[in-house]
Amino acid sequence: MKKIITLAALFFLFFAGNWPAPAAQSPGVELFSPQGTVKGVRQVSVRFTDQMIPFGDPRGQTDPFEIACPAKGSGRWADGHSWIYDFDADLPAGLFCEFKIKPGLKTLAGAELAGQSVFSFSTGGPAILISKPYEGVLVDEEQIFILTLDAEPDIASVPEHVFFSVEGIANPVGVKILEGKDRDRILRALRPPRPGRAAGDAGAEKKEILLLVQSKQRFPNNSKISLIWGKGVKSKSGAATLSDQILPFKARSAFVADFSCERENRTAGCIPFMPMTVNFSAPVSKEAAGKISLRLSD
């Protein structure tokens, strides 16, 4: 039994000594985040496979990347392996940032880095932050939609990728963009200038990115509607949306005016000294209501 164990041990030692050692991993970037298309980026995190700077000496190495990005920020070493780049603010949509390892960058031990050397990400195409009217509500048959976006859009790409899906209409319904005097008139009506501030004065308020769109076709009454902010809408920088954004609405019922009054019974006429009422299914202007008249039979 002892001989069998001894022979087995010798067999194992012989082949273990001749087994090829695993190949050493080349130093490089182990993790880079974010990558691809990401919204709301505030920080870039990088981890290297090998130690890059001395422990306790975050100033021992300069920034390891050449950075091409419209947004400002600053880099720092969190530890010997980890480098972080903080942007001054959350990145808006429509930006493209590239981080390229500086030529000749080496580990603390003096080894040159191998593997991927260029990393990039995009904050994507413009998206709808807020719509007025708000999604889910009843809308007019010729509703104008005021869209607050997170980036300036390439206007030419909007009609190509934005449309309405309308119940009862087989084909997508295109949009038209309101610009110039029509746009200004609508925005002034919704947001009259504050006392002491001239119209169009941005002041200290943050400028919103607004886009006004309207269907090219009148909505049928009581129909379900979806505003499709489609895949492919581009920002001015060229970054495009990667998926559809869908906002549901419903067209209001047909406009109806209904007359009522107090009666002694259902078949009797109105009681002359009691009020008579006209109810509308939607708001009307004071001027229109003032044109209502009562006509007698003669």
Side-chain angles (χ1 to χ4, degrees):
M1 183 68 178
K2 290 182 180 180
K3 290 182 179 180
I4 295 174
I5 295 174
T6 302
L7 288 173
L10 289 172
F11 180 84
F12 173 79
L13 289 172
F14 174 78
F15 282 98
N18 289 277
W19 196 268
Q25 182 182 4
S26 299
V29 175
E30 183 178 53
L31 172 69
F32 187 101
S33 177
Q35 294 188 72
T37 301
V38 187
K39 293 280 188 180
V41 175
R42 185 62 182 265
Q43 185 182 82
V44 171
S45 299
V46 183
R47 183 164 180 82
F48 294 87
T49 56
D50 291 47
Q51 189 171 341
M52 302 296 294
I53 62 171
F55 284 116
D57 185 15
R59 297 170 298 176
Q61 186 81 275
T62 58
D63 288 347
F65 291 94
E66 294 176 347
I67 302 169
C69 187
K72 294 182 179 180
S74 58
R76 57 188 171 87
W77 288 93
D79 56 44
H81 289 256
S82 303
W83 181 79
I84 292 172
Y85 190 83
D86 294 302
F87 290 102
D88 294 344
D90 290 346
L91 300 187
L95 297 186
F96 179 82
C97 297
E98 183 179 86
F99 288 68
K100 183 178 181 180
I101 293 179
K102 290 181 176 179
L105 182 67
K106 297 181 180 181
T107 67
L108 184 62
E112 292 189 2
L113 300 185
Q116 185 176 349
S117 61
V118 179
F119 304 85
S120 63
F121 65 87
S122 165
T123 54
I128 299 172
L129 298 176
I130 303 172
S131 73
K132 291 183 180 179
Y134 299 108
E135 55 185 299
V137 304
L138 293 176
V139 297
D140 186 84
E141 298 91 333
E142 298 180 354
Q143 184 70 52
I144 294 170
F145 296 83
I146 302 175
L147 308 177
T148 302
L149 308 178
D150 63 359
E152 287 282 357
D154 175 0
I155 295 298
S157 72
V158 173
E160 296 177 1
H161 302 284
V162 178
F163 58 92
F164 289 96
S165 174
V166 182
E167 183 181 27
I169 300 178
N171 298 321
V173 178
V175 300
K176 56 183 178 181
I177 300 172
L178 277 70
E179 299 179 288
K181 293 181 178 179
D182 290 337
R183 169 193 164 93
D184 294 341
R185 175 177 54 81
I186 293 168
L187 293 181
R188 279 198 303 269
L190 290 176
R191 300 178 178 180
R194 293 183 181 179
R197 176 176 293 178
D201 180 12
E205 294 183 1
K206 183 179 178 180
K207 182 182 177 182
E208 292 182 307
I209 301 170
L210 301 177
L211 184 71
L212 277 62
V213 300
Q214 186 178 29
S215 171
K216 289 183 176 180
Q217 192 170 329
R218 184 182 175 92
F219 297 136
N221 296 115
N222 290 318
S223 60
K224 293 180 180 179
I225 302 159
S226 292
L227 171 58
I228 313 295
W229 185 263
K231 174 182 176 181
V233 179
K234 295 180 180 180
S235 67
K236 286 190 173 181
S237 66
T241 56
L242 299 180
S243 59
D244 293 347
Q245 187 176 357
I246 303 174
L247 279 61
F249 300 94
K250 186 175 181 180
R252 66 182 182 179
S253 302
F255 180 74
V256 175
D258 178 64
F259 173 82
S260 63
C261 64
E262 295 288 335
R263 307 168 188 265
E264 291 185 356
N265 58 64
R266 292 179 62 184
T267 59
C270 298
I271 299 175
F273 55 83
M274 296 298 290
M276 292 175 285
T277 305
V278 180
N279 296 302
F280 302 100
S281 61
V284 298
S285 67
K286 184 177 180 180
E287 180 184 2
K291 295 179 181 180
I292 299 173
S293 61
L294 179 65
R295 295 185 180 180
L296 303 179
S297 58
D298 58 358

